[in-house]
């Protein structure tokens, strides 16, 4: 079953029909570092956890300890947020707490996880969540963690390292909901809404080459737009194509993409 929602944008607007799971179900990886066949390696469990079924901690965006108050956070992050905090030890809780090359995933890396993996509602060791299976057949488990001390087991809320350029004090996050089923939510005004950075959400760290530049942000926007276009959601797709156009300096010179997205004149 294809899942998810990149919230913060939100990336969502479609309920996809469930697919049959074969008798040979992919096993949940119990390694700390998992190669799903994507551009980066993903952690096998959440920041603050020690196993896949453990919910782990909840962190405000830009709080590298998980203990900062809203006032302390406001002194660190002004109204003009940095484009990304991924990999910067003073604002990235994953880099600060796990060290080495661990960090919060970028918007592009989270978009890959959403669009290039198979998502299946799954209960692992009594904990509700999703099994996420990568292109190479390996799987990780993302529990329904809730947000800001709320009830566990209803929604999954995970930060990306990218702030939303269209909304003050907000950043993109992954959101998924097992009650309503895997879906892409979407009405147009929601597409530009990010989660408030003071909310405490979960973090699933990644490691590897960073994909945090505007080029990769634009590429992720293209991926989302292309997916929505294949679903007949052209109005929503255009919003993401416009974002790609704004952040990729080579966008307008790419005739093939211009024709694909907007048609020939």
């Amino acid at each position: 079953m294809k899942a998810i929602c990149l919230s913060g944008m939100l990336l969502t607007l479609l309920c996809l029909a469930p697919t049959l799971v074969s008798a040979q179900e992919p096993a949940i990886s119990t390694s700390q570092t998992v190669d799903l066949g994507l551009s980066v390696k993903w952690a096998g469990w959440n920041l603050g956890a020690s196993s896949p079924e453990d919910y782990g901690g909840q962190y405000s965006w830009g709080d590298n300890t998980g203990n900062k108050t809203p006032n302390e956070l406001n002194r660190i992050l002004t109204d003009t947020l940095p484009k990304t905090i991924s990999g910067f030890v003073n604002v990235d809780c994953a880099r600060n707490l796990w060290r080495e090359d661990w960090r919060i995933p970028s918007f592009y890396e989270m978009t890959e996880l959403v669009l290039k993996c198979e998502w299946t509602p799954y209960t692992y060791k009594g904990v509700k969540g999703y099994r996420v299976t990568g292109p190479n057949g390996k799987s990780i488990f993302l529990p329904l963690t809730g947000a800001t001390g709320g009830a566990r087991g209803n929604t999954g809320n995970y930060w990306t390292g990218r702030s939303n350029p269209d909304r003050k004090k907000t950043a993109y996050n992954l959101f998924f909901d097992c009650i309503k089923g895997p879906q892409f939510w979407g009405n147009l005004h929601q597409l530009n809404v990010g989660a408030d950075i003071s909310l405490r959400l979960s973090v699933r760290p990644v490691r590897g080459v960073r994909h945090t530049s505007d080029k990769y942000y634009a590429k992720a926007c293209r991926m989302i737009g292309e997916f929505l276009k294949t679903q007949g959601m052209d109005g929503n797709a255009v919003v993401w194509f416009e974002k790609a156009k704004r952040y990729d300096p080579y966008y307008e010179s790419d005739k093939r993409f211009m024709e694909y997205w907007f048609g020939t004149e």
Side-chain angles (χ1 to χ4, degrees), residues 2-8 10-12 42 46 55 110 113-114 119-122 127-132 140-147 151 153-159 173-185 202 204:
K2 200 92 166 163
I4 339 73
C5 155
L6 266 187
S7 169
L10 295 168
L11 154 70
T12 27
W42 285 79
N46 289 343
Y55 292 119
M110 191 68 87
L113 190 74
V114 170
W119 289 64
T120 307
Y122 200 74
V127 176
K128 293 180 180 179
Y130 274 85
R131 183 183 65 214
V132 183
I140 58 175
F141 177 71
L142 293 180
L144 295 168
T145 53
N154 292 328
T155 63
N157 299 272
Y158 290 78
W159 283 122
N173 67 292
L174 171 69
F175 170 89
F176 49 92
D177 184 345
C178 272
I179 295 177
K180 296 178 181 177
Q183 58 195 300
F184 284 102
W185 290 1
S202 299
R204 178 58 64 95

Side-chain angles (χ1 to χ4, degrees), residues 14 25 61 77 81 94 100 111 122 129 149 172 226 241 258:
L14 159 82
E25 291 186 348
W61 196 84
L77 300 173
L81 297 178
E100 298 181 0
T111 301
Y122 200 74
Y172 290 116
E226 287 166 359
F241 293 147
M258 290 296 286

Side-chain angles (χ1 to χ4, degrees), residues 29 62 76 81 87 150 164-165 193 238 247 258 265:
S29 176
I76 298 171
L81 297 178
N164 188 329
V193 175
V238 166
Y247 285 92
M258 290 296 286
E265 295 184 357

